[in-house]
Amino acid sequence: MRKPIIAGNWKMYKTASQAKEFVEQVNGLVPDAEKLDSVICAPALYLTQLVDAAGNSPLKIGAQTMHEKGEGAFTGEISPVQLADIGVDYVIIGHSERRQYFNETDETVNAKVKSAFSHQLTPILCVGETDEQREAGQMESIVEAQVEKAVEGLTDAQIAELVIAYEPIWAIGTGKTATAEDANEACGIVRKKIASLYSEDTAGKVRIQYGGSVKPANIQELLSMEHIDGALVGGASLEADSFVKLLEAGS
Ligand code: PEP
């Protein structure tokens, strides 16, 4: 039985006071950590403040990216050592916006996933196809290749801890959600790929989220599907009341 995981991705939104207000509103309404893993992935600037504000609540805090090295001359970057040191638990790796605008490649994604594990951070690995790739019938091969390259060198135990977010690029921030059946099919393809690389047992443990215009109105149906163990949510995670509704649906 896989525990569901709902993660919000705030991207480059919110001021410090808005971030603080959000946590004050949400704290106390976050489901028990035995039922659901609840995560907010915030801009790096607010991570310390959010870790403190979340305190002992089951709400966990994640970063939206990181450098793969523990330290070094990499101006402007944030390292896994720094994230772990302030109490961050999760980190999104390979979000399509990072791949599209910030030169993330399958190689850097793989290095970052391995580095996150080495520093006791749980990676949320993002994969997904573009509209054109889906139209051309390439969804399966694109997603399989992204998964295979991203997990290269990971152990069975690490795979069992990994969170994979299947996020079709055409559904992110567009209001176009994949049908629950299409999302489940793609998440099933991810699981099958993990089974072929590791084992059925390990594939049965990895948690796979769907992401792409998830909101309170559609989350229930998505979560009812066999291979969908949670959601990575952008827009609908920005308002406290809608985020709480998503958590309620997941618990
Ligand atoms: C995301 O940022 O990963 C995402 C899925 O965004 P949205 O929910 O707004 O489509």
Side-chain angles (χ1 to χ4, degrees):
M1 188 59 191
R2 298 180 293 269
K3 182 168 38 153
I5 173 164
I6 308 284
N9 173 17
W10 282 356
K11 312 193 187 201
M12 200 173 67
Y13 290 102
K14 288 197 187 293
T15 61
S17 61
Q18 288 166 344
K20 182 168 176 274
E21 193 185 336
F22 179 99
V23 178
E24 283 166 1
Q25 287 174 355
V26 162
N27 259 351
L29 301 172
V30 181
D32 199 286
E34 288 190 359
K35 284 197 203 150
L36 174 76
D37 283 331
S38 310
V39 186
I40 283 290
C41 298
L45 206 53
Y46 309 141
L47 292 173
T48 305
Q49 168 198 332
L50 289 176
V51 168
D52 290 348
N56 291 328
S57 108
L59 182 67
K60 299 294 177 197
I61 304 301
Q64 298 174 10
T65 185
M66 61 172 222
H67 196 277
E68 61 269 34
K69 294 275 182 355
E71 62 179 11
F74 300 104
T75 302
E77 289 291 314
I78 297 190
S79 87
V81 172
Q82 294 166 332
L83 294 176
D85 180 52
I86 60 164
V88 164
D89 288 300
Y90 291 86
V91 57
I92 299 174
I93 304 284
H95 190 281
S96 59
E97 289 152 16
R98 302 287 318 169
R99 293 182 192 248
Q100 188 178 353
Y101 305 124
F102 300 99
N103 304 322
E104 291 267 359
T105 62
D106 287 327
E107 289 67 36
T108 59
V109 167
N110 175 244
K112 289 180 184 200
V113 167
K114 285 194 280 198
S115 173
F117 276 123
S118 309
H119 296 92
Q120 286 71 53
L121 297 166
T122 301
I124 300 176
L125 161 68
C126 298
V127 297
E129 82 288 359
T130 63
D131 215 0
E132 297 72 45
Q133 289 164 338
R134 177 166 278 259
E135 290 304 315
Q138 296 168 345
M139 180 274 281
E140 184 163 352
S141 59
I142 295 286
V143 167
E144 283 185 348
Q146 286 176 341
V147 169
E148 180 160 7
K149 289 175 188 155
V151 303
E152 202 182 302
L154 295 188
T155 64
D156 276 86
Q158 288 170 329
I159 292 283
E161 290 299 311
L162 179 66
V163 179
I164 302 179
Y166 165 67
E167 297 207 307
I169 295 167
W170 46 270
I172 298 179
T174 58
K176 274 201 256 173
T177 319
T179 63
E181 289 73 23
D182 283 350
N184 188 54
E185 185 198 5
C187 292
I189 286 167
V190 171
R191 202 176 299 289
K192 215 165 114 213
K193 187 70 201 170
I194 295 291
S196 79
L197 295 168
Y198 292 84
S199 68
E200 289 287 343
D201 183 51
T202 301
K205 290 180 182 150
V206 65
R207 291 185 295 174
I208 305 175
Q209 298 174 309
Y210 166 75
S213 299
V214 174
K215 43 190 180 284
N218 60 22
I219 192 165
Q220 207 88 56
E221 192 190 1
L222 289 160
L223 292 183
S224 71
M225 306 306 285
E226 180 187 357
H227 293 296
I228 304 180
D229 306 314
L232 181 56
V233 188
S237 73
L238 289 168
E239 297 299 329
D241 60 342
S242 111
F243 185 64
V244 168
K245 282 189 190 138
L246 297 170
L247 299 184
E248 282 166 359
S251 61

Coordinates of all heavy atoms in Angstrom, one line a residue, residues 7-11 13 92 95-97 126 165-177 210-215 231-238 246, ligand 1:
A7 N 2.0 17.4 -3.4 CA 3.0 18.5 -3.3 C 2.6 19.7 -4.1 O 2.2 19.6 -5.2 CB 4.4 17.9 -3.8
G8 N 2.7 20.9 -3.4 CA 2.5 22.1 -4.1 C 3.8 22.6 -4.7 O 4.8 22.5 -4.0
N9 N 3.7 23.2 -5.9 CA 4.9 23.9 -6.5 C 4.5 25.3 -6.7 O 3.8 25.7 -7.6 CB 5.2 23.2 -7.8 CG 6.3 23.9 -8.5 OD1 7.0 24.7 -8.0 ND2 6.5 23.6 -9.8
W10 N 5.1 26.2 -5.8 CA 4.7 27.6 -5.9 C 5.4 28.3 -7.0 O 5.1 29.5 -7.3 CB 5.1 28.3 -4.6 CG 4.1 28.1 -3.5 CD1 2.9 27.4 -3.6 CD2 4.2 28.5 -2.1 NE1 2.3 27.4 -2.3 CE2 3.1 28.1 -1.4 CE3 5.1 29.3 -1.4 CZ2 2.8 28.4 -0.1 CZ3 4.9 29.6 -0.1 CH2 3.8 29.1 0.6
K11 N 6.4 27.7 -7.7 CA 7.1 28.3 -8.7 C 7.7 29.7 -8.2 O 8.1 29.8 -7.1 CB 6.3 28.5 -10.0 CG 5.6 27.2 -10.4 CD 5.0 27.2 -11.8 CE 4.2 26.0 -12.0 NZ 4.0 25.7 -13.4
Y13 N 6.2 32.5 -7.3 CA 5.1 33.3 -6.8 C 5.2 33.5 -5.3 O 5.8 32.7 -4.6 CB 3.8 32.6 -7.2 CG 3.4 32.6 -8.6 CD1 3.6 31.4 -9.4 CD2 3.0 33.7 -9.3 CE1 3.3 31.4 -10.8 CE2 2.7 33.7 -10.6 CZ 2.9 32.5 -11.4 OH 2.6 32.5 -12.7
I92 N 12.2 19.2 -5.9 CA 11.8 18.8 -7.3 C 13.0 18.8 -8.2 O 13.8 19.7 -8.1 CB 10.8 19.9 -7.8 CG1 9.5 19.9 -6.9 CG2 10.4 19.6 -9.2 CD1 8.6 21.1 -7.3
H95 N 11.9 19.5 -13.3 CA 10.6 20.1 -13.7 C 10.8 20.5 -15.2 O 11.8 21.0 -15.6 CB 10.3 21.3 -12.8 CG 8.8 21.7 -13.0 ND1 8.5 22.5 -14.1 CD2 7.7 21.4 -12.3 CE1 7.2 22.7 -14.0 NE2 6.7 22.1 -13.0
S96 N 9.7 20.4 -15.9 CA 9.8 20.7 -17.4 C 10.2 22.2 -17.6 O 10.8 22.5 -18.6 CB 8.5 20.5 -18.1 OG 7.4 21.2 -17.5
E97 N 9.9 23.1 -16.7 CA 10.3 24.5 -16.8 C 11.8 24.6 -16.6 O 12.4 25.5 -17.3 CB 9.5 25.4 -15.8 CG 8.0 25.5 -16.3 CD 7.1 25.8 -15.1 OE1 7.5 26.2 -14.0 OE2 5.9 25.6 -15.4
C126 N 10.6 14.8 -12.1 CA 9.5 15.1 -13.1 C 9.9 14.6 -14.5 O 11.0 14.8 -15.0 CB 9.3 16.6 -13.2 SG 8.8 17.4 -11.7
A165 N 7.0 12.3 -10.7 CA 5.8 13.1 -11.1 C 5.7 13.0 -12.6 O 6.6 13.5 -13.3 CB 5.9 14.5 -10.7
Y166 N 4.6 12.4 -13.1 CA 4.4 12.4 -14.5 C 3.6 13.7 -14.8 O 2.5 13.8 -14.4 CB 3.5 11.1 -15.0 CG 3.0 11.4 -16.4 CD1 3.8 11.4 -17.5 CD2 1.6 11.6 -16.6 CE1 3.3 11.7 -18.8 CE2 1.1 11.8 -17.8 CZ 2.0 11.9 -18.9 OH 1.5 12.2 -20.2
E167 N 4.2 14.6 -15.6 CA 3.6 15.8 -15.9 C 3.7 16.1 -17.4 O 4.7 16.6 -17.9 CB 4.4 17.0 -15.2 CG 4.3 16.9 -13.7 CD 4.5 18.3 -13.1 OE1 5.4 19.0 -13.4 OE2 3.6 18.6 -12.3
P168 N 2.6 15.8 -18.1 CA 2.6 16.1 -19.5 C 2.7 17.6 -19.7 O 1.9 18.4 -19.1 CB 1.2 15.6 -20.0 CG 0.4 15.5 -18.8 CD 1.3 15.3 -17.6
I169 N 3.6 18.1 -20.5 CA 3.9 19.5 -20.6 C 2.7 20.3 -21.0 O 2.5 21.4 -20.6 CB 5.2 19.7 -21.4 CG1 6.4 19.1 -20.8 CG2 5.5 21.2 -21.7 CD1 7.6 18.9 -21.6
W170 N 1.9 19.7 -21.9 CA 0.8 20.4 -22.5 C -0.3 20.7 -21.4 O -1.2 21.4 -21.6 CB 0.2 19.7 -23.7 CG 0.1 18.2 -23.4 CD1 1.0 17.2 -23.6 CD2 -1.1 17.5 -22.8 NE1 0.5 16.0 -23.3 CE2 -0.7 16.1 -22.8 CE3 -2.3 17.9 -22.4 CZ2 -1.6 15.2 -22.3 CZ3 -3.2 17.0 -21.9 CH2 -2.8 15.6 -21.8
A171 N -0.2 20.0 -20.3 CA -1.2 20.2 -19.2 C -0.8 21.1 -18.1 O -1.6 21.4 -17.2 CB -1.6 18.8 -18.7
I172 N 0.5 21.5 -18.1 CA 1.0 22.3 -17.0 C 0.6 23.8 -17.2 O 1.0 24.4 -18.2 CB 2.5 22.2 -16.9 CG1 2.9 20.8 -16.6 CG2 3.1 23.1 -15.8 CD1 4.4 20.5 -16.5
G173 N -0.1 24.3 -16.2 CA -0.5 25.7 -16.2 C -1.4 26.1 -17.4 O -1.6 27.3 -17.6
T174 N -2.0 25.1 -18.1 CA -2.8 25.4 -19.2 C -4.3 25.3 -18.9 O -5.2 25.7 -19.8 CB -2.5 24.5 -20.4 OG1 -2.7 23.1 -19.9 CG2 -1.1 24.6 -20.8
G175 N -4.7 24.7 -17.8 CA -6.1 24.4 -17.6 C -6.5 23.1 -18.2 O -7.6 22.6 -18.0
K176 N -5.6 22.5 -19.1 CA -6.0 21.3 -19.8 C -5.5 20.1 -19.0 O -4.2 19.9 -18.9 CB -5.2 21.2 -21.1 CG -5.9 21.8 -22.3 CD -5.3 21.3 -23.6 CE -4.3 22.2 -24.3 NZ -3.7 21.6 -25.4
T177 N -6.3 19.4 -18.3 CA -5.9 18.2 -17.5 C -5.9 17.0 -18.4 O -6.8 16.8 -19.2 CB -6.8 18.0 -16.4 OG1 -7.2 19.2 -15.8 CG2 -6.2 17.1 -15.3
Y210 N 0.6 12.5 -10.5 CA 0.2 13.1 -11.8 C 0.3 14.6 -11.5 O -0.1 15.1 -10.5 CB -1.2 12.8 -12.2 CG -1.7 13.7 -13.3 CD1 -1.2 13.6 -14.6 CD2 -2.5 14.8 -13.0 CE1 -1.6 14.5 -15.6 CE2 -2.9 15.7 -14.0 CZ -2.4 15.5 -15.3 OH -2.8 16.4 -16.2
G211 N 0.8 15.4 -12.5 CA 0.8 16.9 -12.4 C 0.3 17.5 -13.7 O 0.7 17.0 -14.8
G212 N -0.4 18.5 -13.6 CA -0.9 19.2 -14.9 C -2.4 19.7 -14.6 O -3.3 18.9 -14.8
S213 N -2.5 20.9 -14.2 CA -3.8 21.5 -13.9 C -4.7 20.7 -13.0 O -5.9 20.6 -13.2 CB -4.5 21.8 -15.3 OG -3.7 22.7 -16.1
V214 N -4.1 20.1 -12.0 CA -4.8 19.5 -10.9 C -5.5 20.5 -10.0 O -4.9 21.5 -9.7 CB -3.9 18.6 -10.0 CG1 -4.7 18.0 -8.9 CG2 -3.3 17.4 -10.9
K215 N -6.8 20.3 -9.7 CA -7.5 21.2 -8.8 C -8.5 20.4 -8.0 O -8.7 19.2 -8.2 CB -8.2 22.3 -9.7 CG -8.9 21.8 -10.9 CD -9.3 23.1 -11.7 CE -10.0 22.6 -13.0 NZ -9.1 22.1 -14.1
A231 N -0.3 14.0 -6.3 CA -0.3 15.0 -7.4 C 0.8 16.0 -7.1 O 1.1 16.3 -5.9 CB -1.7 15.7 -7.4
L232 N 1.3 16.6 -8.1 CA 2.2 17.7 -8.1 C 1.4 18.9 -8.7 O 0.9 18.8 -9.8 CB 3.5 17.5 -8.8 CG 4.5 18.6 -8.8 CD1 4.9 19.0 -7.4 CD2 5.8 18.2 -9.6
V233 N 1.2 19.9 -7.8 CA 0.2 20.9 -8.2 C 0.8 22.3 -8.2 O 1.4 22.7 -7.2 CB -1.0 20.9 -7.1 CG1 -2.1 21.8 -7.6 CG2 -1.5 19.5 -6.9
G234 N 0.7 23.0 -9.3 CA 1.1 24.4 -9.4 C 0.1 25.4 -8.9 O -0.1 25.6 -7.7
G235 N -0.7 25.9 -9.9 CA -1.6 27.0 -9.6 C -2.5 26.8 -8.4 O -2.7 27.7 -7.6
A236 N -3.1 25.6 -8.3 CA -4.1 25.3 -7.2 C -3.5 25.2 -5.9 O -4.2 25.0 -4.9 CB -5.0 24.1 -7.6
S237 N -2.1 25.2 -5.8 CA -1.5 25.1 -4.5 C -1.2 26.5 -3.9 O -0.7 26.6 -2.8 CB -0.1 24.3 -4.6 OG 0.9 25.1 -5.2
L238 N -1.5 27.5 -4.6 CA -1.2 28.9 -4.2 C -2.1 29.5 -3.2 O -1.7 30.3 -2.4 CB -1.1 29.8 -5.4 CG 0.1 29.6 -6.3 CD1 0.0 30.4 -7.6 CD2 1.4 30.0 -5.6
L246 N -7.2 20.0 -1.6 CA -6.4 18.9 -2.2 C -5.9 17.9 -1.2 O -5.9 16.7 -1.5 CB -5.2 19.5 -3.0 CG -5.6 20.5 -4.2 CD1 -4.3 21.2 -4.7 CD2 -6.2 19.7 -5.3
Ligands
PEP1 C1 3.5 22.2 -12.0 O1 4.0 23.3 -11.7 O2 4.2 21.2 -11.8 C2 2.1 22.1 -12.4 C3 1.6 20.9 -12.6 O3 1.4 23.3 -12.5 P1 -0.2 23.4 -12.7 O4 -0.8 22.6 -11.6 O5 -0.5 24.9 -12.5 O6 -0.5 22.9 -14.1

